[in-house]
C-alpha cells in the first residue's frame, strides 16, 4: 500500500460521511446537482487567514494571489479577509472586478502583458508590477495617451531563490521580473516620467514548508529591497515580499511553522534601515490561504479488478485535478490526501487505486492507497483541492467539461 497525504484539519464525520463546514458530502453533491464538484468552505478560509494574521507582524499586509482560485463567490469572500489581491492577466482583472473588489487594492504581475491588458489596468488604477523595461515603456506610453499617472512597481528578479520551494521563481536567468542590478535605473526613469511609484515586488518561490528557509528568504528580500531603494535614490512606498508558504500535500509533509516565520519577520521589522522606515509591506499567497479549504468530490462509477488490483473508476479525473494526478509540476507522483467520503473514518479494508474517467494512464487520483471497500455510487474526496484545481486543469480534455463549484 502506498501512503496518502495528510488530510488537512477542519473535517469531521457525520453519520459516517465526510462533512465539510458541517454539511454531509452526499448533501453537497445533491445541492450542486451533479458530480464532480469542488466544495470550498468559508469557515476554513476564515480560520486560515485569521491564523496567519495572528502569527504575522501587524505591519504586514496579506494579499491573495487570485490565480490559485478565481471562483467568483470565493473572491468575494476573500475580499472581507485580505488586504489586497494579486492578479496575473486581464482575465483575472475582469474576475476581481466582477467580484466587486476595490481595484485600488489590486496589483498585476506576470510576463507578456498585452497593451489592452496594460490599458485596462492603468485605466482602473490597478498597480502594474512591471516585468521588463519594454513593458515599462509601453505602460508609460499608454498612460500618457490616457492622460493618467500609472501606478507602477517593479518586479525584481532576485539574485537568490527560496530553498526547498516547489516552484523557484528567482535566482539566475528567468522570464519573471527585471534583474536586480538593472532595477535602480528603471525606478529612476519611472519616477522621472511622473508615474505613481509603488515600489518593488520580489517573489523568490512558493510551496515551501520550511519556516527557516522562508524566514531566510524574507531577510534576503528585505536586504535587497533596501539596497535597490538606496540605489534608486527614493524612499520605498511599498514592498511585496512575495509568498513562499506552502501546504502539506504528501505523506510526511509538515505544515509551515508560521509562528516562527512571523517572529523572525517581526525581528527584521524592528531593525529596518532608514530607507524602509515608512514602507508598506505585504506578502502574496495563493495555495496557503485557499488550498486546504477546498475538497473535490467525485462519484465512483465502476469498480473493477485487473491482475489482482482494484480500480475505483470515478466520474472525475485529471481534467479537474491535474495536480492531484501528479501532472502539474511534480517529478515523482505521490498521493494527495484522499478518502471515500461516504465511508469517512471507516477502517481500511483493501488496497485500491482511484482513477478518473479519461482514457490515459496519467488519470490517477490515488495510487494503491488503503481505503474502506467502496462501490459504485460512493463519493471520493480529494483534499487540498482549493488551489490550482478547477482553473489549472484541462477541463475540456476529452469533452468532459468543467466541474461544479460551490462555496459553503
Ligand atoms: C503563483 C504566484 C503566487 C501564488 O503562489 P502560491 O504557491 O499559490 O502561494 C504568488 N505570487 C506570484 C507572483 C505568483 O506567480
Amino acid at each position: 500500500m502506498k501512503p496518502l497525504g495528510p488530510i488537512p484539519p477542519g473535517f469531521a464525520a457525520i453519520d459516517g460521511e465526510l462533512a465539510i463546514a458541517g454539511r454531509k458530502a452526499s448533501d453537497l453533491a445533491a445541492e450542486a446537482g451533479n458530480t464532480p464538484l469542488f466544495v470550498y468552505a468559508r469557515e476554513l478560509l476564515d480560520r486560515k487567514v485569521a491564523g496567519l494574521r495572528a502569527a504575522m507582524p501587524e505591519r504586514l499586509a496579506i494579499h491573495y494571489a487570485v490565480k490559485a482560485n478565481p471562483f467568483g463567490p470565493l473572491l468575494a469572500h476573500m475580499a472581507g479577509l485580505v488586504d489586497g489581491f494579486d492578479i496575473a492577466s486581464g482575465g483575472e482583472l475582469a474576475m476581481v472586478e466582477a467580484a466587486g473588489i476595490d481595484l485600488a487594492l489590486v496589483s498585476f504581475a506576470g510576463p507578456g502583458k498585452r497593451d489592452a491588458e496594460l490599458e485596462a489596468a492603468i485605466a482602473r488604477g490597478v498597480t502594474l508590477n512591471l516585468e521588463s523595461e519594454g513593458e515599462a515603456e509601453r505602460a508609460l506610453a499608454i498612460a500618457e495617451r490616457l492622460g493618467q499617472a500609472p501606478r507602477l512597481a517593479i518586479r525584481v528578479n532576485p539574485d537568490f531563490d527560496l530553498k526547498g520551494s516547489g516552484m523557484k521563481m528567482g535566482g539566475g536567468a528567468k522570464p519573471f521580473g527585471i534583474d536586480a542590478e538593472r532595477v535602480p535605473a528603471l525606478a529612476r526613469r519611472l519616477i522621472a516620467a511622473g508615474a505613481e511609484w509603488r515600489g518593488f515586488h520580489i517573489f523568490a518561490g512558493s510551496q515551501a514548508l520550511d519556516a527557516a528557509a522562508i524566514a531566510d528568504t524574507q531577510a534576503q528580500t528585505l536586504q535587497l529591497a533596501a539596497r535597490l531603494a538606496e540605489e534608486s535614490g527614493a524612499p520605498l512606498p511599498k514592498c511585496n515580499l512575495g509568498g513562499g508558504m506552502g501546504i502539506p500535500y504528501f505523506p510526511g509533509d509538515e505544515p509551515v511553522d508560521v509562528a516562527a516565520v512571523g517572529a523572525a519577520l517581526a525581528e527584521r521589522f524592528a531593525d529596518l534601515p532608514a530607507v524602509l522606515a515608512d514602507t508598506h509591506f505585504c506578502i502574496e499567497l495563493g495555495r496557503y490561504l485557499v488550498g486546504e479549504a477546498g475538497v473535490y468530490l467525485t462519484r465512483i462509477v465502476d469498480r473493477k479488478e485487473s491482475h489482482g488490483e482494484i480500480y475505483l473508476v470515478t466520474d472525475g479525473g485529471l481534467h479537474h485535478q491535474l495536480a492531484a494526478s501528479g501532472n502539474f509540476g511534480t517529478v515523482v507522483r505521490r498521493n494527495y490526501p484522499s478518502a471515500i467520503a461516504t465511508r469517512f473514518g471507516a477502517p481500511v479494508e483493501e488496497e485500491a487505486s482511484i482513477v478518473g474517467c479519461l482514457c490515459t494512464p496519467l488519470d490517477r487520483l490515488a495510487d494503491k492507497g488503503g481505503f474502506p471497500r467502496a462501490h459504485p455510487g460512493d463519493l471520493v474526496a480529494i483534499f487540498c483541492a482549493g488551489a490550482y484545481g478547477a482553473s489549472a486543469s484541462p477541463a475540456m480534455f476529452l469533452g468532459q467539461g468543467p466541474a461544479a463549484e460551490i462555496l459553503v
Side-chain angles (χ1 to χ4, degrees):
M1 249 176 236
K2 295 186 185 173
L4 304 171
I7 294 177
F11 298 99
I14 297 182
D15 302 337
E17 273 198 43
L18 170 69
I20 305 167
R23 311 267 314 275
K24 285 194 285 183
S26 57
D27 291 344
L28 293 165
E31 179 183 321
N34 211 349
T35 51
L37 70 151
F38 286 90
V39 183
Y40 313 117
R42 286 188 184 88
E43 65 180 41
L44 298 179
L45 298 168
D46 296 350
R47 223 179 285 172
K48 200 68 193 262
V49 178
L52 183 66
R53 273 203 200 279
M56 291 295 137
E58 220 172 298
R59 179 169 179 179
L60 185 74
I62 296 173
H63 288 196
Y64 174 51
V66 170
K67 83 171 191 279
N69 187 336
F71 181 53
L74 180 137
L75 287 181
H77 186 72
M78 293 303 284
L81 299 178
V82 300
D83 308 303
F85 289 81
D86 296 299
I87 57 171
S89 72
E92 288 186 352
L93 172 53
M95 290 170 182
V96 293
E97 192 168 25
I101 286 162
D102 178 0
L103 299 180
L105 305 178
V106 175
S107 59
F108 182 178
K113 299 184 196 75
R114 286 158 281 188
D115 284 355
E117 294 176 302
L118 294 172
E119 179 169 336
I122 292 167
R124 288 164 177 75
V126 167
T127 295
L128 290 169
N129 293 334
L130 299 167
E131 302 271 352
S132 74
E133 287 93 345
E135 187 174 279
E137 292 309 322
R138 285 192 290 130
L140 288 172
I142 289 166
E144 186 164 326
R145 179 161 55 71
L146 296 176
Q148 240 176 299
R151 294 179 166 155
L152 301 180
I154 296 175
R155 177 160 179 189
V156 180
N157 175 21
D159 24 31
F160 50 84
D161 63 16
L162 172 54
K163 303 273 174 304
S165 63
M167 295 211 192
K168 295 194 190 334
M169 306 282 275
K174 289 281 179 301
F176 312 111
I178 295 168
D179 293 351
E181 66 271 13
R182 299 210 308 269
V183 165
L186 181 62
R188 288 194 294 271
R189 158 88 180 115
L190 299 177
I191 294 165
E196 191 178 316
W197 174 229
R198 306 287 279 209
F200 300 137
H201 171 216
I202 308 177
F203 185 86
S206 89
Q207 183 47 23
L209 298 174
D210 177 1
I214 295 168
D216 185 50
T217 295
Q218 289 180 337
Q220 290 187 73
T221 302
L222 287 168
Q223 268 176 10
L224 177 62
R227 192 182 89 217
L228 296 177
E230 289 282 359
E231 291 172 12
S232 307
L236 195 65
K238 285 179 186 275
C239 185
N240 180 332
L241 301 174
M245 289 168 216
I247 57 174
Y249 286 106
F250 302 118
D253 283 357
E254 295 284 343
V256 184
D257 182 351
V258 285
V261 176
L265 191 58
E267 266 181 49
R268 299 284 162 183
F269 279 178
D271 188 27
L272 287 175
V275 73
L276 300 183
D278 297 320
T279 304
H280 292 274
F281 293 100
C282 70
I283 49 172
E284 53 175 6
L285 297 168
R287 75 186 78 219
Y288 183 82
L289 300 181
V290 302
E292 294 175 315
V295 179
Y296 179 65
L297 294 176
T298 175
R299 198 177 295 281
I300 297 173
V301 175
D302 199 4
R303 174 190 167 95
K304 51 192 284 191
E305 201 182 313
S306 172
H307 292 275
E309 294 184 16
I310 304 292
Y311 289 91
L312 302 172
V313 186
T314 67
D315 61 6
L318 72 74
H319 53 297
H320 304 141
Q321 274 292 16
L322 193 61
S325 76
N327 294 293
F328 191 60
T330 28
V331 181
V332 180
R333 195 203 172 286
R334 288 174 295 169
N335 283 325
Y336 264 42
S338 54
I340 307 300
T342 36
R343 300 169 193 270
F344 196 60
V348 169
E349 293 172 309
E350 65 180 12
E351 179 185 295
S353 291
I354 298 171
V355 299
C357 54
L358 305 185
C359 305
T360 158
L362 300 178
D363 194 8
R364 192 167 284 236
L365 296 172
D367 188 39
K368 297 181 178 165
F371 298 101
R373 185 164 291 108
H375 299 278
D378 273 319
L379 292 168
V380 163
I382 308 292
F383 295 89
C384 294
Y388 306 108
S391 72
S393 303
M396 293 317 293
F397 192 31
L398 276 151
Q400 289 289 345
E405 293 179 274
I406 56 175
L407 178 73
V408 295

